[in-house]
Amino acid sequence: MILKLSLNGRPISADIPADQSLLDFLRAQGCYSVKRGCETSNCGLCTVWLDGAPVLSCNMPAVRAMGRSVTTLEGVRAQAEEFGGYLADQGGDQCGFCNPGLIMNVLAMERELTDPTEADIDEYLAGNLCRCTGFVSQKRAILAWLKRGDKE
Amino acid sequence: MKPVSELRVVNQPIRKKDYHALVTGQPVYTEDLAPRDCLVVKLLRSPHASALVKEIDVTRAKKVPGVACVLTWRDVPQLRYTQAGQSYPEGSPYDRYILDRRLRYVGDPVAIVAAESADAAERAIRLIKVTYEVQEPVLDFRTALDHPNIVHPEEDWKILYEQGSQVERNLICHEESADGDVEAVLADCDAVVEQTYHTVSDNQAMMETFRAYSYLDAYGRLNIVPSTQIAFHVRRIIANALGIPKSKVRVIRPRIGGGFGAKQTVEAEPYPAIVTWLTGRPAMIVYDREETTTCGCPRHEMEISIRICANRDGHIRAIHMHTLSNGGAYGEHSTTTVGLSGHKAISLYGALEAYRFDADVVYTNLQPAGAFRGFGATQGIFALESAVDELAHRLSLDPAWIRERNQVRQGQVMPSYFGEVNTSCTLDRCLERVKEMIGWGEKYPRRTLPNGHIRAVGLAMAMQGSAISGIDVGGATLKLGDEGFVNLLIGAADMGTGCDTTLAQIAAEALELDVDKVVTAQVDTDSSPYDSGSYASSTAFLSGGAVYRCALELIEKIKTEACHQKGWRPEDVEYHDALVEHLPTGQTLTLSELAYVAECGGGDVPSCTAHYTCPNSPPPFMAGAAEIDLDPETGKVTVVEYDAVVDCGTPLNPNLARVQTEGGLVQGIGMALTENARYLPSGALIERNLLQYKIPTRLDIGEIHVEFAPSYEEQGPYGAKSIGEIVIDTPCPAIANAVENACGVRIRELPITAEKVWRGMHPELV
């Protein structure tokens, strides 16, 4: 079937199998930042935005994105670079495999929450697993990044 | 070497060299890099824990459109090999075929299918018809020894050197070591604790599952791009499995999405490799999470029996440990992990008059075990550091004090650690500081909150090693390039640890260069210098040692080339600040100038390779302390705070050392509280995905605080020892000790579930 959507701001039209997941579709489109870490929809690695809201692309059929706007890390490179610098300053990038899903959710969190507490942050990002960092360096990075405006 | 205070690049918290690619999601991992026309490889796996393939019919499977090949045991070389990534001769038994007629655990591969699409491969797998001759499996490692059913009855089973194996008894290996008369000291002590502890086969659960792709290059050689920690060992293992010359295999390591020891075993690589070798087509396999969890190489399940004794004054005088380890269906890393459960636990105690350690590792028809961060030491330290607390309570002594009284100190000979001298150690400072951080004085043993919850503290010590002494080899090549930059070629594997950066920091420090002028290359067995790979806490210490030595050699070559170019005498020149100075005249030659001339008729373009192996393995040390919240109504234990102080020698990059520690502690908290591995009566694993196998989320960990108490290890680069493994070792005993301090219940079987604690608190009801 023909799927039409906006991918990172570009109109896309593609002939896809009806049962293709959004994750597989996005990787087929060259969006390699989108990773798979589980089959149970609870690792967060495949997080992308659908009309600006974070979703797990592994458990969503690509056709659900028909006529809608999908954003992957490739589409928010400048913001990823900015937050990623804070993450790297803590050594929190580590193996990097969970970074894209985490960063998509961190960027969405900043839009969605006003002055989040540490508990709010943990709650919002609870679905983003990471096996390298133990999450602590990620939190240091997020807190420093959220305060970045204060210095200016 | 310079003192730590004068270092300019080493010991600095710089960003990882690859961070930009990682935070912008660049295609740098195995699956991202594979050719688009790769065949998709899938495996048919055994539903039985023990069975023989009586008949297998692949006729219909082969007819599925898009199927390139269907391979059974008849189609692959019947050559026994081991998948363990170890230096040759490997300690692990050669007990596998790529596909075997005998199936030894639920998940053992029965057939390999390669097709143009995943759909076609899966359809073909469903059409393979197998008749199994099902046999009675060996499912309990406590009764595996001398079990009537033998896991490996085959005649071509072999082991490369004697380790006490008796395969007809399901015994993979047996080990004994001792110093002094343990029985006499035990009989002479005021208090003896005798207990047995049990740890399960925790899963590494790295975010990137097992995967590899392969292709033939222009020379007809088999190129493999696996997610691996052990590029050079993969080359040997694949050549062994396929029965082809090593010269026909090239292994290239891209970025790796975590390993934690899992990728020290060859798991996925043989399947695309044999497909490519037989069909000539590029092929890729990507394990899903369930395959990675059920058909991988988790931690060895161990049952550890301890007898430990002390006098009333708290002097711990003797320890006897016996470890029974569950190797599972194949023996990867079985003979090596078990030793650490004794040697790297007992050696924490420096005032012993006698010790004994003996161990047996057995085959069972369960998922084969392998290497997981901590590698046996984690299990042994859980057991011994639990037993020490039990002993302290028996003597009504403060568990922190009994450790202070008995802990190993710098300069001591460690009989249970192969007689090595403890060359660098601040364990005393680690323990003292961690007590301050957790507030031991005020919080030990417990207090009750207004809501009825109990807050309690517990602590533990740990040690590990730095590389396998006298066996493993670190390697480094440095090449000077134009503009005076330097290529650093290594065989170690950056699996997120940041060693591509920390090793460059060592080179930059020695060469007095900006770290950006040191360019680290990813591993390629055709061009990288030999290195055993990244495991056994080796990279910072051993590969780092090689980089340091290589840099010193390069400086000599640079000076020689400068003299050649300028007609200077060798005794008149000095290297500093990326230039060669002619001392009598004050003339200088920069690296950039030297390199340009050398590259155009000058002479030798300076480059060199160095290797490093160390006759001993200096242990890092640490102390960890947990404060827990225990809900007496449910038995649920939550970590409120976890503090740790680590002696890893000089932290090469304090940021990366800190993150290693935090990550290891959280893995340890998971192992202590939530990560379980149980089997159904069929031998199938229950915890088979990330919903059931519960690694910690960011809501489960409490406050984590990490500090360093660096010693200076003369044998390591700029005083460094290892950090990667030790950091997982303290949470299990520290949390178990805190639970006893909270409610008097001693949990000797991991994980510490609410149910176990509650049942312990209500013995009258169970």
Side-chain angles (χ1 to χ4, degrees), chain B residues 147 235 277 289 309 340 351 596 647:
Chain B
H147 194 282
R235 181 174 70 184
W277 193 246
R289 178 60 58 186
C309 68
L340 277 70
Y596 276 118
D647 166 20

Side-chain angles (χ1 to χ4, degrees), chain B residues 345-611:
Chain B
I346 298 168
S347 310
L348 283 166
Y349 291 92
L352 299 181
E353 292 164 29
Y355 90 90
R356 191 158 96 220
F357 170 61
D358 26 54
D360 298 290
V361 191
V362 291
Y363 279 123
T364 58
N365 291 112
L366 295 169
Q367 177 177 204
F372 184 0
R373 190 181 217 168
F375 202 79
T378 314
Q379 295 95 307
I381 287 169
F382 163 66
L384 184 60
E385 285 296 273
S386 295
V388 167
D389 257 49
E390 297 200 55
L391 183 65
H393 292 312
R394 183 77 60 83
L395 291 163
S396 302
L397 295 171
D398 179 337
W401 184 85
I402 200 170
R403 287 182 172 82
E404 287 161 351
R405 167 91 167 70
N406 292 282
Q407 64 191 184
V408 68
R409 287 170 197 280
Q410 185 164 316
Q412 279 185 325
V413 175
M414 301 179 283
S416 50
Y417 196 71
F418 317 106
E420 286 186 20
V421 176
N422 190 11
T423 45
S424 55
C425 175
T426 63
L427 181 58
D428 50 346
R429 275 165 52 201
C430 293
L431 186 57
E432 191 185 337
R433 178 62 191 139
V434 91
K435 280 172 66 185
E436 288 170 16
M437 289 166 72
I438 202 80
W440 187 261
E442 310 84 67
K443 290 180 183 168
Y444 175 77
R446 86 187 70 78
R447 66 207 153 99
T448 305
L449 300 183
N451 65 1
H453 286 211
I454 305 165
R455 291 286 170 99
V457 289
L459 51 72
M461 308 188 299
M463 64 184 287
Q464 198 80 35
S466 299
I468 303 177
S469 50
I471 291 179
D472 282 340
V473 175
T477 295
L478 287 164
K479 300 195 294 184
L480 185 64
D482 32 356
E483 274 183 8
F485 86 99
V486 172
N487 286 113
L488 171 61
L489 283 68
I490 54 171
D494 189 337
M495 58 190 123
T497 52
C499 75
D500 285 1
T501 306
T502 49
L503 295 177
Q505 286 178 265
I506 293 169
E509 185 70 52
L511 294 165
E512 302 189 27
L513 285 172
D514 189 296
V515 73
D516 292 336
K517 289 233 170 189
V518 181
V519 179
T520 315
Q522 72 179 18
V523 182
D524 178 341
T525 55
D526 275 5
S527 53
S528 304
Y530 180 82
D531 187 292
S532 310
S534 286
Y535 60 86
S537 289
S538 63
T539 301
F541 179 76
L542 209 64
S543 304
V547 172
Y548 179 71
R549 280 156 185 75
C550 193
L552 298 189
E553 272 184 47
L554 188 71
I555 288 172
E556 290 310 309
K557 293 206 165 188
I558 288 167
K559 281 158 66 178
T560 303
E561 175 61 16
C563 291
H564 170 76
Q565 290 182 10
K566 292 290 195 181
W568 295 335
R569 295 187 309 174
E571 58 271 31
D572 289 343
V573 298
E574 202 176 274
Y575 178 88
H576 60 85
D577 299 303
L579 52 79
V580 180
E581 182 180 351
H582 185 240
L583 297 172
T585 61
Q587 276 188 296
T588 59
L589 181 64
T590 66
L591 276 190
S592 175
E593 292 163 336
L594 180 142
Y596 276 118
V597 174
E599 286 182 0
C600 185
D604 280 338
V605 183
S607 72
C608 59
T609 294
H611 288 97

Side-chain angles (χ1 to χ4, degrees), chain A residues 27 32 35 37 39 42 77 81 85 88-90 93-97 125 128 131-132 134 138 140, chain B residues 15-16 19-20 22 26 29 32 36 203-204 288-290 496 655 659 662-663 667 675 690 698 701:
Chain A
R27 284 189 65 88
Y32 292 117
K35 305 295 191 212
E39 300 90 56
N42 67 314
R77 190 181 167 110
E81 276 174 354
D89 281 339
Q90 298 296 336
D93 43 332
Q94 290 289 295
C95 86
F97 209 69
L125 301 173
N128 291 94
R131 192 62 160 166
C132 293
Q138 293 180 352
R140 284 195 294 271
Chain B
R15 290 179 179 181
K16 262 169 5 96
Y19 91 91
H20 191 267
L22 302 188
Q26 300 304 305
Y29 303 92
D32 308 336
R36 291 304 106 196
N203 202 280
Q204 298 90 348
D288 62 23
R289 178 60 58 186
E290 183 164 317
N655 268 2
V659 176
E662 292 163 346
Q667 285 184 354
E675 297 178 29
L690 290 178
R698 63 193 80 222
I701 54 174

Side-chain angles (χ1 to χ4, degrees), chain B residues 20-38:
Chain B
H20 191 267
L22 302 188
V23 301
T24 55
Q26 300 304 305
V28 292
Y29 303 92
T30 297
E31 192 185 4
D32 308 336
L33 299 168
R36 291 304 106 196
D37 62 343
C38 261

Side-chain angles (χ1 to χ4, degrees), chain B residues 117 201 263 380 419 678 740:
Chain B
S117 71
S201 60
K263 295 169 184 173
R678 295 167 298 167
E740 179 166 17

